[in-house]
Amino acid sequence: MTDFKAPFPEVKKKNKRKIFAARLLLKSLIYSFAIFGILFIMLLLVVLGLIRQDSGGVVLVPKSALLTINFDHDYPETRGDDIVAEVTGAQPQTFLDLITAINVAGADKRVKALAATVSTSSLGLAQIQDLRNTIQAFRATGKKAYLFSSGFGSFGRGTKEYYLASVFDEIAVAPHSEVGITGVSLEVPFFRKVLDKIGVKPEFYSRYEYKTAMASMTDFQMSKPYREELTRLGGSIFGQFIKDTSSARKISESELKKQVNLAPLTSESALGAKLVDKIVYRQDWLKNLKKEYKAKTIDVYDYAANIQTYGRGVPAVAFLVIDGVIAEGESYANSLRDEVVIGSETVLQQLEEIAEDKEVKALIVRVNSPGGGYNAANEIWHGLEQLKENKKIPVIISMGDYAASGGYFVALAGDKIIAEPSTITGSIGVLGGKMVFQELWKKLGVNWNNIKFGDNAGILSFNTAFSNNEKSIFNKSLDSVYEDFTLKVSKARNINMKELNKLARGRVWTGEGAYKNKLVDELGGIDLALSEAQKAAGLKPEDRFRIAYYPKEKTLQEKIQQLVNGSRGIYMRKVLSDFEAELEQLKLLSRLRYDAVLPPLQINM
């Protein structure tokens, strides 16, 4: 008989196992039906999407056209290549697509002018500098470029947007809006006090004092080298903004700095200071431009769809994008976490495809990465070196917003390295270590026991701090990695080790500083990289060639397979989270062993 004096009836151990198994089976069935339901809906949408696309068509370019661009839209470095883009047909333009469209429009007699808008953009600073050069080239054809803003930023933080706007022929703003050119600030969070309170000890070591990627965890505030580093970095970026903007707007640098210190400015104050040319509502602005040029508008996305490209049978320049944190294994993207990881295994497969394509005469590697795993970066570097040796083609590196640490390591394989003045690069150094939860476990009443076979078998355990012997072994390993990194830099850049010591030790540089110190070869963007690749491949400016973009577009079957695999992953993560096992986070922590990454730096403009 059941004893109802207990709050719940007793369950025997055998029954517990059965109940656990039944629950797991029930969850599995529920998630499986949910996944198959999602797949069915997605496949149905694919069919409907294909029907919709067939019934539609490309928007034709008017005989007299205004090319419109909204710079507040996303222009990622990597092409979105998943089932959602396939269904909706809303695949975003890449940054390369945007640059190409503006260049083609400059030579297109149908396009009379450029009419762009910007308010709060996700474009990076190096991308903005690249766009400024492209728009200047558009204007050099004799055509005008106009820009409208409903307000640069929101109570400040509109500096980079205005930096882009300054290169246009005419800037118009909405009545009662603001021009938030408040300058440049750099912010870094420090969590050491919080970690101490919960009993977590960050035990990390770096090579050397400027390698501050884990300073947010290990320190209470900025060290002297860290502050020196960020002051130099921010000063370079602010100096570029002042110099370029004052030149474009024909305002003295001292006057521009004065207005920055008064900002955010009202639209009326900005007009009086000659920072803008016109105050007008957007509808009236566009209506007047259409009337002036007797033209119809065409969006840059629709315009790009009209651009004819050469197919196979002509020489090709491969364009390989390395965009995101570098890690071992396969590349993956998690849109929910806004996380992109570039897997060395995936990149090496792409390099093999490039090597097998006989039409490829040169390779541009577009690096937009803050770094990542040292071993993964080393693999990609070696793969590029092998490609150059075996295929005998030039490799040109084009740096985006970031090409630092592991990203800079990859760039060393280039015959020529090109960066924008504001590109964040260098950070030649390495760090490693672990988070130690020993005191946290004590607070929680958790007692870990261990059995080891080997004196250093638990060297990377999160449950105990490094012993003196483990600390010595770990630091020797970091010394070895740092030596390998600096030797490769010295050889690739022809800089002796004594001089390199003044540039390395984890120091971060803007492209401007890297150019002065011979860490990069030239300052410029994608257009310059293409021009250099053509020359290096022996192609004349008038020669026909095509751009072979990598990663290649997936087939519909591959996109569906990606969805299936992703669904499995979603299910497994849900089951694991039910058992409180965040394996992805554990992997992230263990990956910090030999990481070459930038600090968690936020640049506000």
PDB file of all heavy atoms in Angstrom, residues 199-231:
ATOM      1  N   GLY A 199      33.207  33.782  -7.918  1.00  0.00           N
ATOM      2  CA  GLY A 199      34.191  32.724  -7.690  1.00  0.00           C
ATOM      3  C   GLY A 199      34.809  32.142  -8.934  1.00  0.00           C
ATOM      4  O   GLY A 199      35.233  30.989  -8.933  1.00  0.00           O
ATOM      5  N   VAL A 200      34.867  32.930 -10.026  1.00  0.00           N
ATOM      6  CA  VAL A 200      35.491  32.464 -11.271  1.00  0.00           C
ATOM      7  C   VAL A 200      36.811  33.211 -11.465  1.00  0.00           C
ATOM      8  O   VAL A 200      36.837  34.447 -11.415  1.00  0.00           O
ATOM      9  CB  VAL A 200      34.574  32.695 -12.485  1.00  0.00           C
ATOM     10  CG1 VAL A 200      35.286  32.307 -13.779  1.00  0.00           C
ATOM     11  CG2 VAL A 200      33.286  31.891 -12.336  1.00  0.00           C
ATOM     12  N   LYS A 201      37.873  32.447 -11.669  1.00  0.00           N
ATOM     13  CA  LYS A 201      39.201  33.045 -11.823  1.00  0.00           C
ATOM     14  C   LYS A 201      39.690  32.877 -13.262  1.00  0.00           C
ATOM     15  O   LYS A 201      39.898  31.760 -13.720  1.00  0.00           O
ATOM     16  CB  LYS A 201      40.192  32.384 -10.872  1.00  0.00           C
ATOM     17  CG  LYS A 201      41.614  32.937 -10.989  1.00  0.00           C
ATOM     18  CD  LYS A 201      42.579  32.149 -10.113  1.00  0.00           C
ATOM     19  CE  LYS A 201      44.005  32.652 -10.306  1.00  0.00           C
ATOM     20  NZ  LYS A 201      44.973  31.832  -9.525  1.00  0.00           N
ATOM     21  N   PRO A 202      39.874  33.983 -13.991  1.00  0.00           N
ATOM     22  CA  PRO A 202      40.434  33.877 -15.346  1.00  0.00           C
ATOM     23  C   PRO A 202      41.954  33.729 -15.264  1.00  0.00           C
ATOM     24  O   PRO A 202      42.626  34.591 -14.697  1.00  0.00           O
ATOM     25  CB  PRO A 202      40.038  35.199 -16.004  1.00  0.00           C
ATOM     26  CG  PRO A 202      39.873  36.155 -14.872  1.00  0.00           C
ATOM     27  CD  PRO A 202      39.528  35.369 -13.644  1.00  0.00           C
ATOM     28  N   GLU A 203      42.482  32.660 -15.795  1.00  0.00           N
ATOM     29  CA  GLU A 203      43.924  32.423 -15.756  1.00  0.00           C
ATOM     30  C   GLU A 203      44.442  32.360 -17.191  1.00  0.00           C
ATOM     31  O   GLU A 203      44.424  31.311 -17.828  1.00  0.00           O
ATOM     32  CB  GLU A 203      44.244  31.136 -15.007  1.00  0.00           C
ATOM     33  CG  GLU A 203      45.708  31.023 -14.634  1.00  0.00           C
ATOM     34  CD  GLU A 203      45.988  29.903 -13.637  1.00  0.00           C
ATOM     35  OE1 GLU A 203      45.051  29.189 -13.254  1.00  0.00           O
ATOM     36  OE2 GLU A 203      47.150  29.747 -13.260  1.00  0.00           O
ATOM     37  N   PHE A 204      44.849  33.532 -17.687  1.00  0.00           N
ATOM     38  CA  PHE A 204      45.285  33.645 -19.079  1.00  0.00           C
ATOM     39  C   PHE A 204      46.671  34.274 -19.147  1.00  0.00           C
ATOM     40  O   PHE A 204      47.044  35.098 -18.316  1.00  0.00           O
ATOM     41  CB  PHE A 204      44.300  34.488 -19.889  1.00  0.00           C
ATOM     42  CG  PHE A 204      43.011  33.784 -20.175  1.00  0.00           C
ATOM     43  CD1 PHE A 204      41.969  33.834 -19.272  1.00  0.00           C
ATOM     44  CD2 PHE A 204      42.852  33.048 -21.345  1.00  0.00           C
ATOM     45  CE1 PHE A 204      40.785  33.166 -19.522  1.00  0.00           C
ATOM     46  CE2 PHE A 204      41.672  32.379 -21.591  1.00  0.00           C
ATOM     47  CZ  PHE A 204      40.638  32.433 -20.681  1.00  0.00           C
ATOM     48  N   TYR A 205      47.394  33.897 -20.187  1.00  0.00           N
ATOM     49  CA  TYR A 205      48.739  34.404 -20.422  1.00  0.00           C
ATOM     50  C   TYR A 205      48.823  34.853 -21.876  1.00  0.00           C
ATOM     51  O   TYR A 205      48.180  34.268 -22.749  1.00  0.00           O
ATOM     52  CB  TYR A 205      49.790  33.333 -20.114  1.00  0.00           C
ATOM     53  CG  TYR A 205      49.640  32.786 -18.709  1.00  0.00           C
ATOM     54  CD1 TYR A 205      48.911  31.620 -18.481  1.00  0.00           C
ATOM     55  CD2 TYR A 205      50.184  33.464 -17.630  1.00  0.00           C
ATOM     56  CE1 TYR A 205      48.736  31.135 -17.197  1.00  0.00           C
ATOM     57  CE2 TYR A 205      50.020  32.985 -16.339  1.00  0.00           C
ATOM     58  CZ  TYR A 205      49.295  31.822 -16.123  1.00  0.00           C
ATOM     59  OH  TYR A 205      49.110  31.348 -14.849  1.00  0.00           O
ATOM     60  N   SER A 206      49.589  35.903 -22.132  1.00  0.00           N
ATOM     61  CA  SER A 206      49.633  36.463 -23.487  1.00  0.00           C
ATOM     62  C   SER A 206      51.060  36.792 -23.893  1.00  0.00           C
ATOM     63  O   SER A 206      51.953  36.904 -23.057  1.00  0.00           O
ATOM     64  CB  SER A 206      48.768  37.721 -23.573  1.00  0.00           C
ATOM     65  OG  SER A 206      49.281  38.727 -22.708  1.00  0.00           O
ATOM     66  N   ARG A 207      51.236  36.928 -25.187  1.00  0.00           N
ATOM     67  CA  ARG A 207      52.502  37.367 -25.767  1.00  0.00           C
ATOM     68  C   ARG A 207      52.227  38.563 -26.663  1.00  0.00           C
ATOM     69  O   ARG A 207      51.749  38.407 -27.773  1.00  0.00           O
ATOM     70  CB  ARG A 207      53.163  36.232 -26.575  1.00  0.00           C
ATOM     71  CG  ARG A 207      53.532  35.021 -25.744  1.00  0.00           C
ATOM     72  CD  ARG A 207      54.591  35.389 -24.694  1.00  0.00           C
ATOM     73  NE  ARG A 207      54.973  34.226 -23.905  1.00  0.00           N
ATOM     74  CZ  ARG A 207      54.345  33.830 -22.787  1.00  0.00           C
ATOM     75  NH1 ARG A 207      53.299  34.500 -22.349  1.00  0.00           N
ATOM     76  NH2 ARG A 207      54.774  32.785 -22.118  1.00  0.00           N
ATOM     77  N   TYR A 208      52.403  39.831 -26.216  1.00  0.00           N
ATOM     78  CA  TYR A 208      52.920  40.208 -24.910  1.00  0.00           C
ATOM     79  C   TYR A 208      52.022  41.268 -24.319  1.00  0.00           C
ATOM     80  O   TYR A 208      50.811  41.146 -24.413  1.00  0.00           O
ATOM     81  CB  TYR A 208      54.364  40.679 -25.014  1.00  0.00           C
ATOM     82  CG  TYR A 208      55.356  39.526 -25.079  1.00  0.00           C
ATOM     83  CD1 TYR A 208      55.876  39.085 -26.287  1.00  0.00           C
ATOM     84  CD2 TYR A 208      55.763  38.864 -23.920  1.00  0.00           C
ATOM     85  CE1 TYR A 208      56.772  38.034 -26.333  1.00  0.00           C
ATOM     86  CE2 TYR A 208      56.661  37.815 -23.966  1.00  0.00           C
ATOM     87  CZ  TYR A 208      57.155  37.400 -25.176  1.00  0.00           C
ATOM     88  OH  TYR A 208      58.022  36.355 -25.224  1.00  0.00           O
ATOM     89  N   GLU A 209      52.559  42.386 -23.833  1.00  0.00           N
ATOM     90  CA  GLU A 209      51.783  43.343 -23.057  1.00  0.00           C
ATOM     91  C   GLU A 209      50.662  44.018 -23.837  1.00  0.00           C
ATOM     92  O   GLU A 209      49.685  44.504 -23.263  1.00  0.00           O
ATOM     93  CB  GLU A 209      52.700  44.415 -22.438  1.00  0.00           C
ATOM     94  CG  GLU A 209      53.358  45.367 -23.439  1.00  0.00           C
ATOM     95  CD  GLU A 209      54.681  44.859 -23.986  1.00  0.00           C
ATOM     96  OE1 GLU A 209      54.908  43.626 -23.998  1.00  0.00           O
ATOM     97  OE2 GLU A 209      55.491  45.694 -24.422  1.00  0.00           O
ATOM     98  N   TYR A 210      50.761  44.042 -25.194  1.00  0.00           N
ATOM     99  CA  TYR A 210      49.715  44.669 -26.010  1.00  0.00           C
ATOM    100  C   TYR A 210      48.667  43.666 -26.482  1.00  0.00           C
ATOM    101  O   TYR A 210      47.715  44.048 -27.156  1.00  0.00           O
ATOM    102  CB  TYR A 210      50.336  45.373 -27.223  1.00  0.00           C
ATOM    103  CG  TYR A 210      51.217  46.538 -26.850  1.00  0.00           C
ATOM    104  CD1 TYR A 210      52.597  46.385 -26.724  1.00  0.00           C
ATOM    105  CD2 TYR A 210      50.676  47.796 -26.611  1.00  0.00           C
ATOM    106  CE1 TYR A 210      53.416  47.450 -26.372  1.00  0.00           C
ATOM    107  CE2 TYR A 210      51.480  48.870 -26.258  1.00  0.00           C
ATOM    108  CZ  TYR A 210      52.852  48.685 -26.136  1.00  0.00           C
ATOM    109  OH  TYR A 210      53.653  49.751 -25.789  1.00  0.00           O
ATOM    110  N   LYS A 211      48.846  42.399 -26.147  1.00  0.00           N
ATOM    111  CA  LYS A 211      47.868  41.363 -26.514  1.00  0.00           C
ATOM    112  C   LYS A 211      46.813  41.330 -25.421  1.00  0.00           C
ATOM    113  O   LYS A 211      46.922  40.590 -24.435  1.00  0.00           O
ATOM    114  CB  LYS A 211      48.554  40.005 -26.663  1.00  0.00           C
ATOM    115  CG  LYS A 211      47.657  38.971 -27.351  1.00  0.00           C
ATOM    116  CD  LYS A 211      47.395  39.347 -28.795  1.00  0.00           C
ATOM    117  CE  LYS A 211      46.489  38.351 -29.482  1.00  0.00           C
ATOM    118  NZ  LYS A 211      46.186  38.742 -30.863  1.00  0.00           N
ATOM    119  N   THR A 212      45.779  42.144 -25.581  1.00  0.00           N
ATOM    120  CA  THR A 212      44.842  42.430 -24.495  1.00  0.00           C
ATOM    121  C   THR A 212      43.456  41.830 -24.701  1.00  0.00           C
ATOM    122  O   THR A 212      42.481  42.307 -24.128  1.00  0.00           O
ATOM    123  CB  THR A 212      44.711  43.951 -24.325  1.00  0.00           C
ATOM    124  OG1 THR A 212      44.384  44.529 -25.593  1.00  0.00           O
ATOM    125  CG2 THR A 212      45.999  44.559 -23.817  1.00  0.00           C
ATOM    126  N   ALA A 213      43.356  40.783 -25.503  1.00  0.00           N
ATOM    127  CA  ALA A 213      42.038  40.227 -25.828  1.00  0.00           C
ATOM    128  C   ALA A 213      41.288  39.736 -24.604  1.00  0.00           C
ATOM    129  O   ALA A 213      40.057  39.737 -24.591  1.00  0.00           O
ATOM    130  CB  ALA A 213      42.184  39.094 -26.845  1.00  0.00           C
ATOM    131  N   MET A 214      42.003  39.282 -23.564  1.00  0.00           N
ATOM    132  CA  MET A 214      41.324  38.797 -22.362  1.00  0.00           C
ATOM    133  C   MET A 214      41.436  39.768 -21.191  1.00  0.00           C
ATOM    134  O   MET A 214      41.090  39.418 -20.053  1.00  0.00           O
ATOM    135  CB  MET A 214      41.897  37.440 -21.965  1.00  0.00           C
ATOM    136  CG  MET A 214      41.543  36.320 -22.926  1.00  0.00           C
ATOM    137  SD  MET A 214      39.756  36.138 -23.196  1.00  0.00           S
ATOM    138  CE  MET A 214      39.212  35.623 -21.575  1.00  0.00           C
ATOM    139  N   ALA A 215      41.907  40.994 -21.451  1.00  0.00           N
ATOM    140  CA  ALA A 215      42.059  41.978 -20.376  1.00  0.00           C
ATOM    141  C   ALA A 215      40.726  42.289 -19.709  1.00  0.00           C
ATOM    142  O   ALA A 215      40.677  42.594 -18.514  1.00  0.00           O
ATOM    143  CB  ALA A 215      42.682  43.260 -20.918  1.00  0.00           C
ATOM    144  N   SER A 216      39.629  42.204 -20.464  1.00  0.00           N
ATOM    145  CA  SER A 216      38.301  42.456 -19.890  1.00  0.00           C
ATOM    146  C   SER A 216      37.976  41.474 -18.772  1.00  0.00           C
ATOM    147  O   SER A 216      37.199  41.781 -17.873  1.00  0.00           O
ATOM    148  CB  SER A 216      37.223  42.357 -20.976  1.00  0.00           C
ATOM    149  OG  SER A 216      37.285  43.466 -21.832  1.00  0.00           O
ATOM    150  N   MET A 217      38.564  40.299 -18.843  1.00  0.00           N
ATOM    151  CA  MET A 217      38.332  39.267 -17.831  1.00  0.00           C
ATOM    152  C   MET A 217      39.394  39.299 -16.721  1.00  0.00           C
ATOM    153  O   MET A 217      39.091  39.089 -15.558  1.00  0.00           O
ATOM    154  CB  MET A 217      38.348  37.880 -18.487  1.00  0.00           C
ATOM    155  CG  MET A 217      37.319  37.691 -19.568  1.00  0.00           C
ATOM    156  SD  MET A 217      35.646  37.654 -18.890  1.00  0.00           S
ATOM    157  CE  MET A 217      34.707  37.354 -20.392  1.00  0.00           C
ATOM    158  N   THR A 218      40.644  39.564 -17.092  1.00  0.00           N
ATOM    159  CA  THR A 218      41.746  39.433 -16.142  1.00  0.00           C
ATOM    160  C   THR A 218      42.040  40.712 -15.362  1.00  0.00           C
ATOM    161  O   THR A 218      42.587  40.665 -14.265  1.00  0.00           O
ATOM    162  CB  THR A 218      43.031  39.002 -16.872  1.00  0.00           C
ATOM    163  OG1 THR A 218      43.353  39.971 -17.880  1.00  0.00           O
ATOM    164  CG2 THR A 218      42.854  37.643 -17.536  1.00  0.00           C
ATOM    165  N   ASP A 219      41.689  41.875 -15.933  1.00  0.00           N
ATOM    166  CA  ASP A 219      42.050  43.153 -15.315  1.00  0.00           C
ATOM    167  C   ASP A 219      40.821  43.890 -14.785  1.00  0.00           C
ATOM    168  O   ASP A 219      39.682  43.601 -15.177  1.00  0.00           O
ATOM    169  CB  ASP A 219      42.775  44.054 -16.320  1.00  0.00           C
ATOM    170  CG  ASP A 219      44.068  43.423 -16.825  1.00  0.00           C
ATOM    171  OD1 ASP A 219      44.530  42.439 -16.212  1.00  0.00           O
ATOM    172  OD2 ASP A 219      44.610  43.911 -17.834  1.00  0.00           O
ATOM    173  N   PHE A 220      41.096  44.873 -13.920  1.00  0.00           N
ATOM    174  CA  PHE A 220      40.017  45.694 -13.364  1.00  0.00           C
ATOM    175  C   PHE A 220      39.823  46.973 -14.185  1.00  0.00           C
ATOM    176  O   PHE A 220      38.769  47.583 -14.142  1.00  0.00           O
ATOM    177  CB  PHE A 220      40.325  46.060 -11.907  1.00  0.00           C
ATOM    178  CG  PHE A 220      40.366  44.874 -10.990  1.00  0.00           C
ATOM    179  CD1 PHE A 220      41.573  44.293 -10.644  1.00  0.00           C
ATOM    180  CD2 PHE A 220      39.196  44.321 -10.488  1.00  0.00           C
ATOM    181  CE1 PHE A 220      41.621  43.202  -9.798  1.00  0.00           C
ATOM    182  CE2 PHE A 220      39.226  43.218  -9.653  1.00  0.00           C
ATOM    183  CZ  PHE A 220      40.443  42.648  -9.309  1.00  0.00           C
ATOM    184  N   GLN A 221      40.855  47.375 -14.925  1.00  0.00           N
ATOM    185  CA  GLN A 221      40.799  48.580 -15.750  1.00  0.00           C
ATOM    186  C   GLN A 221      41.915  48.524 -16.792  1.00  0.00           C
ATOM    187  O   GLN A 221      42.715  47.591 -16.798  1.00  0.00           O
ATOM    188  CB  GLN A 221      40.955  49.826 -14.881  1.00  0.00           C
ATOM    189  CG  GLN A 221      42.258  49.878 -14.107  1.00  0.00           C
ATOM    190  CD  GLN A 221      42.308  51.067 -13.159  1.00  0.00           C
ATOM    191  OE1 GLN A 221      41.319  51.763 -12.975  1.00  0.00           O
ATOM    192  NE2 GLN A 221      43.457  51.307 -12.562  1.00  0.00           N
ATOM    193  N   MET A 222      41.958  49.523 -17.657  1.00  0.00           N
ATOM    194  CA  MET A 222      42.970  49.540 -18.713  1.00  0.00           C
ATOM    195  C   MET A 222      44.374  49.639 -18.138  1.00  0.00           C
ATOM    196  O   MET A 222      44.636  50.459 -17.256  1.00  0.00           O
ATOM    197  CB  MET A 222      42.756  50.743 -19.649  1.00  0.00           C
ATOM    198  CG  MET A 222      41.666  50.582 -20.658  1.00  0.00           C
ATOM    199  SD  MET A 222      41.682  52.007 -21.791  1.00  0.00           S
ATOM    200  CE  MET A 222      40.031  51.882 -22.482  1.00  0.00           C
ATOM    201  N   SER A 223      45.263  48.817 -18.651  1.00  0.00           N
ATOM    202  CA  SER A 223      46.674  48.946 -18.313  1.00  0.00           C
ATOM    203  C   SER A 223      47.254  50.119 -19.104  1.00  0.00           C
ATOM    204  O   SER A 223      46.633  50.624 -20.043  1.00  0.00           O
ATOM    205  CB  SER A 223      47.427  47.665 -18.667  1.00  0.00           C
ATOM    206  OG  SER A 223      47.388  47.453 -20.077  1.00  0.00           O
ATOM    207  N   LYS A 224      48.452  50.536 -18.749  1.00  0.00           N
ATOM    208  CA  LYS A 224      49.102  51.645 -19.465  1.00  0.00           C
ATOM    209  C   LYS A 224      49.307  51.308 -20.941  1.00  0.00           C
ATOM    210  O   LYS A 224      48.988  52.134 -21.815  1.00  0.00           O
ATOM    211  CB  LYS A 224      50.432  51.991 -18.792  1.00  0.00           C
ATOM    212  CG  LYS A 224      51.111  53.224 -19.377  1.00  0.00           C
ATOM    213  CD  LYS A 224      52.411  53.544 -18.661  1.00  0.00           C
ATOM    214  CE  LYS A 224      53.089  54.748 -19.296  1.00  0.00           C
ATOM    215  NZ  LYS A 224      54.381  55.061 -18.615  1.00  0.00           N
ATOM    216  N   PRO A 225      49.834  50.109 -21.285  1.00  0.00           N
ATOM    217  CA  PRO A 225      49.978  49.765 -22.708  1.00  0.00           C
ATOM    218  C   PRO A 225      48.638  49.721 -23.448  1.00  0.00           C
ATOM    219  O   PRO A 225      48.559  50.124 -24.614  1.00  0.00           O
ATOM    220  CB  PRO A 225      50.637  48.383 -22.674  1.00  0.00           C
ATOM    221  CG  PRO A 225      51.326  48.315 -21.361  1.00  0.00           C
ATOM    222  CD  PRO A 225      50.453  49.081 -20.421  1.00  0.00           C
ATOM    223  N   TYR A 226      47.605  49.222 -22.764  1.00  0.00           N
ATOM    224  CA  TYR A 226      46.275  49.125 -23.381  1.00  0.00           C
ATOM    225  C   TYR A 226      45.754  50.523 -23.721  1.00  0.00           C
ATOM    226  O   TYR A 226      45.265  50.781 -24.819  1.00  0.00           O
ATOM    227  CB  TYR A 226      45.328  48.416 -22.420  1.00  0.00           C
ATOM    228  CG  TYR A 226      44.096  47.807 -23.059  1.00  0.00           C
ATOM    229  CD1 TYR A 226      43.236  47.015 -22.299  1.00  0.00           C
ATOM    230  CD2 TYR A 226      43.781  48.010 -24.398  1.00  0.00           C
ATOM    231  CE1 TYR A 226      42.103  46.442 -22.860  1.00  0.00           C
ATOM    232  CE2 TYR A 226      42.646  47.450 -24.968  1.00  0.00           C
ATOM    233  CZ  TYR A 226      41.812  46.665 -24.189  1.00  0.00           C
ATOM    234  OH  TYR A 226      40.701  46.103 -24.751  1.00  0.00           O
ATOM    235  N   ARG A 227      45.869  51.445 -22.747  1.00  0.00           N
ATOM    236  CA  ARG A 227      45.393  52.812 -22.974  1.00  0.00           C
ATOM    237  C   ARG A 227      46.206  53.496 -24.076  1.00  0.00           C
ATOM    238  O   ARG A 227      45.662  54.211 -24.925  1.00  0.00           O
ATOM    239  CB  ARG A 227      45.475  53.616 -21.669  1.00  0.00           C
ATOM    240  CG  ARG A 227      44.895  55.010 -21.757  1.00  0.00           C
ATOM    241  CD  ARG A 227      44.795  55.641 -20.387  1.00  0.00           C
ATOM    242  NE  ARG A 227      43.808  54.969 -19.548  1.00  0.00           N
ATOM    243  CZ  ARG A 227      42.498  55.225 -19.599  1.00  0.00           C
ATOM    244  NH1 ARG A 227      42.023  56.123 -20.443  1.00  0.00           N
ATOM    245  NH2 ARG A 227      41.681  54.587 -18.799  1.00  0.00           N
ATOM    246  N   GLU A 228      47.500  53.267 -24.063  1.00  0.00           N
ATOM    247  CA  GLU A 228      48.378  53.816 -25.103  1.00  0.00           C
ATOM    248  C   GLU A 228      47.954  53.315 -26.482  1.00  0.00           C
ATOM    249  O   GLU A 228      47.891  54.085 -27.448  1.00  0.00           O
ATOM    250  CB  GLU A 228      49.819  53.384 -24.807  1.00  0.00           C
ATOM    251  CG  GLU A 228      50.819  53.686 -25.907  1.00  0.00           C
ATOM    252  CD  GLU A 228      52.096  52.884 -25.741  1.00  0.00           C
ATOM    253  OE1 GLU A 228      52.546  52.687 -24.586  1.00  0.00           O
ATOM    254  OE2 GLU A 228      52.655  52.442 -26.766  1.00  0.00           O
ATOM    255  N   GLU A 229      47.648  52.029 -26.535  1.00  0.00           N
ATOM    256  CA  GLU A 229      47.237  51.396 -27.784  1.00  0.00           C
ATOM    257  C   GLU A 229      45.950  51.998 -28.335  1.00  0.00           C
ATOM    258  O   GLU A 229      45.859  52.375 -29.502  1.00  0.00           O
ATOM    259  CB  GLU A 229      47.020  49.901 -27.508  1.00  0.00           C
ATOM    260  CG  GLU A 229      46.475  49.124 -28.661  1.00  0.00           C
ATOM    261  CD  GLU A 229      47.557  48.296 -29.305  1.00  0.00           C
ATOM    262  OE1 GLU A 229      48.661  48.809 -29.514  1.00  0.00           O
ATOM    263  OE2 GLU A 229      47.282  47.142 -29.590  1.00  0.00           O
ATOM    264  N   LEU A 230      44.933  52.105 -27.472  1.00  0.00           N
ATOM    265  CA  LEU A 230      43.634  52.607 -27.919  1.00  0.00           C
ATOM    266  C   LEU A 230      43.686  54.093 -28.248  1.00  0.00           C
ATOM    267  O   LEU A 230      42.971  54.561 -29.143  1.00  0.00           O
ATOM    268  CB  LEU A 230      42.565  52.331 -26.855  1.00  0.00           C
ATOM    269  CG  LEU A 230      42.242  50.861 -26.576  1.00  0.00           C
ATOM    270  CD1 LEU A 230      40.990  50.744 -25.715  1.00  0.00           C
ATOM    271  CD2 LEU A 230      42.059  50.067 -27.861  1.00  0.00           C
ATOM    272  N   THR A 231      44.519  54.835 -27.534  1.00  0.00           N
ATOM    273  CA  THR A 231      44.682  56.267 -27.834  1.00  0.00           C
ATOM    274  C   THR A 231      45.262  56.460 -29.233  1.00  0.00           C
ATOM    275  O   THR A 231      44.809  57.311 -30.004  1.00  0.00           O
ATOM    276  CB  THR A 231      45.591  56.929 -26.786  1.00  0.00           C
ATOM    277  OG1 THR A 231      45.013  56.763 -25.481  1.00  0.00           O
ATOM    278  CG2 THR A 231      45.766  58.408 -27.076  1.00  0.00           C
TER     279      THR A 231
END
